[in-house]
Amino acid sequence: MKAAYRNVMERNEQSLRVSLFQDNEFPASWHFHPQYELTYIIDSSGMRYIGDSVHNFREGDFVLVGANLPHSWKTVGVQTSMVQAVIIQWNENLLGDDWLLKPEFYKIKKMLELSARGIQFSGKTAARLKENIIALTVLPPFEKLMRFLELLNELSSKKEYSLLSSAGFKTNITTQDSDRISVIQSYVKNNIQTKIQLSEVAGLVGLTEVSFCRYFKKVHNKTFVTFLNEFRIAMACQLLIEKEFTVSEIGYQCGFNSISLFHRLFVRFIKMTPLEYRNSYKSI
C-alpha cells in the first residue's frame, strides 16, 4: 500500500483543477498523488519538502511537483497573514492518453519528466507569470485549459529553474514511512532551537538509534544529521530575508551553538556567506 496516497481529483471532475488555497496553514502531511501539481505561493513562508529536499519558501515560490513525488509545505513561526497559494493539479492524460507523444508537446513532455525530482522556477519567471497564474482561478473551463497549456509551454521553454530532489530519491514510500517522516518533520520544526537528540527522535517512531539511522538513510537518501542541518540552514535563510537580527542571533535561533559551524555549513549548502545571502536579497 502506497504512502499517504491522496487522489486529489475525482473521476467526474474536469481534467484540470485550479484552486485558490486560503487558510491559516498548509494542512497536508508529507503525501503524494498521481496528479502533477504546480504551486504558486501568493503569501506565506516556511519550509518546503520535495522528495529528499528541504528548502525555505516565501512569497513568489513557484514549484512543479511530478506525479507520485512526496511533498508538503509547512509554515514556520508566527504568520502575520493567512496562507494564500494557487494550486494547479492535473492528470497525465489531460488531453488524452497520447497527447504528450505529439511533437507540439515535446518540450512539455521533457519538463514533466524532470518534474519527477521537483522543479523550482526562478523568481524572475514567477514574477512575470504571477498575474496569469492567479487569473486561472476565475476563468471558465475551456479558457482555463487553453491558458494553462500556454503556461506549460512557456515554462517548458525556459532554462531558469532548479531541480529539488536528488536523482537517487526513491518514490516507493509506504504508509508507515509517510507517517514517520511527518512525525520527524514536525518534531524538528517545533524543537529547532534546542539540541535535538538522536535517541529522542528515534524513540518517537519506535526505533533504536541504529535502526533509525539506517531507516532514515534508506527513505531520505541522506543521513538525519544532514537533513537536520539542511532544515536549520533553510530556516536561517528565511530569517535572514525577513528579520533584522544579526547573523549570530539567527545562528543561535536555528539551533547552532557554534557560530563558526553555522558559517561553515551555510557556505557549504548555500555557496555564499549569511551576510552575502542577506545582501543579495536587499539588492533585488
Side-chain angles (χ1 to χ4, degrees):
M1 183 177 179
K2 289 289 187 180
Y5 176 85
R6 301 167 187 259
N7 192 334
V8 297
M9 296 179 69
E10 302 297 332
R11 289 184 178 180
N12 59 352
E13 264 195 285
Q14 297 165 350
S15 57
L16 175 68
R17 173 190 278 186
V18 182
S19 56
L20 177 62
F21 176 83
Q22 295 179 302
D23 207 335
N24 292 325
E25 62 179 351
F26 288 102
S29 59
W30 206 53
H31 68 286
F32 73 89
H33 41 69
Q35 290 77 24
Y36 294 93
E37 180 175 298
L38 266 171
T39 298
Y40 178 84
I41 303 296
I42 299 174
D43 189 8
S44 186
S45 63
M47 296 296 159
R48 168 174 29 81
Y49 305 88
I50 307 291
D52 61 359
S53 74
V54 53
H55 296 94
N56 67 300
F57 73 86
R58 60 197 299 267
E59 177 185 342
D61 193 52
F62 191 26
V63 168
L64 171 59
V65 175
N68 298 320
L69 178 62
H71 59 279
S72 67
W73 278 252
K74 297 292 183 184
T75 55
V76 175
V78 178
Q79 300 291 306
T80 57
S81 58
M82 290 185 67
V83 173
Q84 293 188 73
V86 175
I87 301 175
I88 307 170
Q89 297 161 325
W90 70 98
N91 289 311
E92 186 173 19
N93 61 349
L94 176 70
L95 299 179
D97 291 337
D98 298 327
W99 74 285
L100 288 172
L101 298 179
K102 299 184 184 301
E104 294 86 352
F105 300 117
Y106 175 78
K107 289 187 296 184
I108 293 176
K109 177 176 180 291
K110 300 306 291 184
M111 179 181 70
L112 295 181
E113 289 173 353
L114 286 176
S115 73
R117 293 176 58 185
I119 299 174
Q120 180 185 18
F121 298 103
S122 72
K124 186 184 300 184
T125 296
R128 187 176 65 252
L129 297 174
K130 177 180 179 179
E131 291 185 7
N132 293 341
I133 296 166
I134 295 175
L136 288 174
T137 63
V138 295
L139 291 173
F142 181 80
E143 189 174 354
K144 180 181 299 184
L145 179 59
M146 294 300 102
R147 294 283 188 87
F148 173 65
L149 290 174
E150 290 176 358
L151 174 64
L152 286 185
N153 184 60
E154 180 160 1
L155 290 175
S156 67
S157 302
K158 305 300 179 185
K159 300 299 182 182
E160 301 166 337
Y161 64 82
S162 56
L163 299 179
L164 299 173
S165 188
S166 67
F169 178 74
K170 305 293 191 300
T171 58
N172 55 334
I173 310 299
T174 66
T175 299
Q176 186 181 40
D177 291 331
S178 180
D179 292 342
R180 282 175 168 173
I181 294 300
S182 293
V183 168
I184 294 166
Q185 289 173 351
S186 295
Y187 183 81
V188 169
K189 169 187 169 183
N190 295 329
N191 295 276
I192 195 64
Q193 293 184 342
T194 65
K195 184 176 181 181
I196 294 177
Q197 301 287 350
L198 184 61
S199 58
E200 292 181 14
V201 184
L204 287 173
V205 293
L207 297 173
T208 65
E209 290 185 42
V210 173
S211 296
F212 174 79
C213 291
R214 188 183 305 119
Y215 163 79
F216 195 91
K217 181 68 179 294
K218 178 182 177 182
V219 173
H220 248 306
N221 201 40
K222 66 180 70 173
T223 66
F224 175 70
V225 171
T226 298
F227 169 84
L228 181 58
N229 285 331
E230 285 181 346
F231 186 98
R232 285 182 162 141
I233 294 300
M235 189 170 186
C237 288
Q238 181 179 335
L239 293 176
L240 285 164
I241 295 168
E242 298 178 354
K243 305 297 182 181
E244 294 300 324
F245 302 132
T246 66
V247 169
S248 295
E249 287 173 331
I250 288 174
Y252 288 126
Q253 285 194 36
C254 294
F256 291 100
N257 293 324
S258 166
I259 297 305
S260 62
L261 175 62
F262 171 51
H263 274 266
R264 190 160 63 249
L265 288 175
F266 196 98
V267 171
R268 180 191 302 175
F269 288 121
I270 309 300
K271 310 304 180 188
M272 63 178 76
T273 68
L275 209 54
E276 288 171 341
Y277 182 83
R278 170 176 274 170
N279 290 336
S280 70
Y281 270 85
K282 286 182 177 179
S283 64
I284 295 177

